[in-house]
Amino acid sequence: MWKRLLCSLLILGSLAGCGRGAQAPFDREAMLNGLVQRVIVPVHDAAAAEAATLAAAAHAFAGAPTPANLAALQEQWRRTALAWKEAELYAFRDVMILHSQIDKWPTNERFIEGFIAGTERLDAAFAADVGSTSKGLPAVEYLIFDPKRPPDALVADFTAGAAGERRRQYVAALAQDLAAKTAELAAMWAGPDGQGAAFIAAATPGEDLNGSISMLTNEMIVLLEDIAQHKLGDPMGHLSFGVPAPTFVEAGRSGASLALIRADLQGLTRAFHGGDAPDDVGLDDYLTYLDAEYEGQPLAAVISAQIDAALAAVDAVDPPLRVAVETDPDAVQAAYDAIEQLLVLVKVDMANHLGVTVTFSDNDGD
């Protein structure tokens, strides 16, 4: 009898060992540490490096406002904006104001022109103190791009008398401030006692609103909502009774709108997977550990497939977006639908399995 009882206990023990309960606990702290080291710190360093190069290009253009120097400045703006979008996801509370100072869209064109027409000294100190809607990437874009005018005419704005000189001063000051702000942000993430360390330490389950998993999930939701509702929906006519509104396109003057949306999605992808390598540990692995499913399929695989679908749908839209919303609305609608489907998977299914409470977020800054 005792032998049979012992055998039964051994069998039950071996069966229990096959379940998730016998697995080693998922190391959330290690996952977050990997995300910081492999993704968050590198993308912020890359954005800071590109912004420093942008400041140098703006200084060169201010000293010699030629079409060639303008083209170099425009190309560097695109590189900087793309690098920044990879970091845009991580707009947590402690860095939110810096985010708005780097990329507050839309920019206030009336304020910018008022500063140029004024008499205040347009230098780095001025740019550091000016409001977020008159600085950062969108303000620089406004000054150096105009799709309706040839390069020679645009350069003329920077060479016409005192106003041209002040325009040169302002673009150089804005680029210098942008370099300073991105460098400050990168330092905050990389420091041993800074944002990165705090993010890793808050490796609590999703139900803790101050936990990193909860904050990261909510920022993913905020980013996807921003892309769907504002970067695509508003230009499609969601605020204008279905009439396309190209003026609502982000980065419409540079024609970089779709490329920036793609960079946003790429940044989200790297966060979800914890990096670029197949063995990097991310939220997808955590969902797999939790046996999360969607209609009988692993939720992590479903979300990964939908990310790919969203990227493909964005790539299928012929740029620039400001034209496509009128000439190819079906393609833009398909991109919108794909991102909306991804949003639902993250906001409902992923958040539910992670135990995350979806919160409202205010990314306005000042």
Side-chain angles (χ1 to χ4, degrees), residues 277-364:
D279 58 347
D280 289 339
V281 179
L283 291 175
D284 56 339
D285 298 285
Y286 193 21
L287 289 171
T288 298
Y289 169 81
L290 295 173
D291 294 330
E293 291 190 350
Y294 177 83
E295 296 183 352
Q297 300 296 319
L299 178 59
V302 173
I303 292 176
S304 294
Q306 191 57 42
I307 290 173
D308 291 341
L311 286 166
V314 171
D315 289 343
V317 181
D318 288 332
L321 181 59
R322 67 175 186 275
V323 174
V325 294
E326 295 184 307
T327 62
D328 196 3
D330 290 344
V332 180
Q333 181 68 52
Y336 173 87
D337 291 342
I339 292 169
E340 277 281 296
Q341 291 176 39
L342 177 58
L343 171 61
V344 171
L345 287 169
V346 173
K347 187 174 184 177
V348 177
D349 299 281
M350 187 174 93
N352 179 59
H353 282 285
L354 295 180
V356 167
T357 298
V358 177
T359 61
F360 293 97
S361 177
D362 179 3
N363 285 322
D364 287 343

Side-chain angles (χ1 to χ4, degrees), residues 177-201:
D177 181 69
L178 182 63
K181 292 297 188 295
T182 52
E184 180 182 354
L185 185 59
M188 287 181 67
W189 276 104
D193 300 317
Q195 187 73 20
F199 182 75
I200 295 167

Side-chain angles (χ1 to χ4, degrees), residues 39-244:
V39 180
I40 299 179
V41 168
V43 298
H44 283 87
D45 286 346
E50 294 293 354
T53 304
L54 178 67
H59 180 76
F61 175 71
T66 64
N69 281 344
L70 175 63
L73 178 57
Q74 290 173 333
E75 176 58 26
Q76 185 55 40
W77 182 91
R78 292 187 181 93
R79 291 175 59 89
T80 305
L82 288 170
W84 166 250
K85 290 302 179 182
E86 294 258 0
E88 187 174 32
L89 170 65
Y90 307 102
F92 302 127
R93 286 186 299 270
D94 292 343
V95 299
M96 190 183 298
I97 291 178
L98 275 176
H99 272 244
S100 69
Q101 293 176 339
I102 291 168
D103 190 10
K104 178 68 174 178
W105 169 74
T107 197
N108 194 316
E109 301 172 7
R110 182 172 62 86
F111 281 5
I112 292 172
E113 293 298 340
F115 295 142
I116 292 172
T119 58
E120 293 183 84
R121 184 179 178 86
L122 300 178
D123 55 12
F126 177 86
D129 291 337
V130 77
S132 296
T133 59
S134 304
K135 66 195 298 181
L137 285 163
V140 175
E141 183 206 25
Y142 167 74
L143 289 169
I144 67 174
F145 289 96
D146 189 341
K148 298 178 180 178
R149 302 170 66 204
D152 288 346
L154 192 55
V155 168
D157 290 342
F158 291 90
T159 57
E165 181 180 3
R166 287 182 62 80
R167 193 171 291 269
R168 296 198 304 274
Q169 292 171 351
Y170 196 36
V171 75
L174 290 182
Q176 184 176 345
D177 181 69
L178 182 63
K181 292 297 188 295
T182 52
E184 180 182 354
L185 185 59
M188 287 181 67
W189 276 104
D193 300 317
Q195 187 73 20
F199 182 75
I200 295 167
T204 56
E207 61 265 18
D208 186 335
L209 294 179
N210 294 314
S212 297
I213 292 173
S214 176
M215 291 191 293
L216 179 59
T217 302
N218 273 285
E219 288 304 324
M220 293 172 73
I221 293 167
V222 168
L223 180 63
L224 289 171
E225 287 180 337
D226 188 42
I227 295 172
Q229 295 175 12
H230 301 303
K231 299 183 181 186
L232 289 174
D234 292 351
M236 291 167 62
H238 290 187
L239 294 178
S240 49
F241 304 101
V243 178

Side-chain angles (χ1 to χ4, degrees), residues 244-281:
T247 56
F248 287 152
V249 168
E250 181 191 29
R253 293 173 75 91
S254 63
S257 311
L258 290 165
L260 298 186
I261 290 174
R262 169 172 252 284
D264 271 328
L265 291 173
Q266 288 173 327
L268 184 143
T269 303
R270 298 181 75 190
F272 182 66
H273 293 300
D276 299 319
D279 58 347
D280 289 339
V281 179

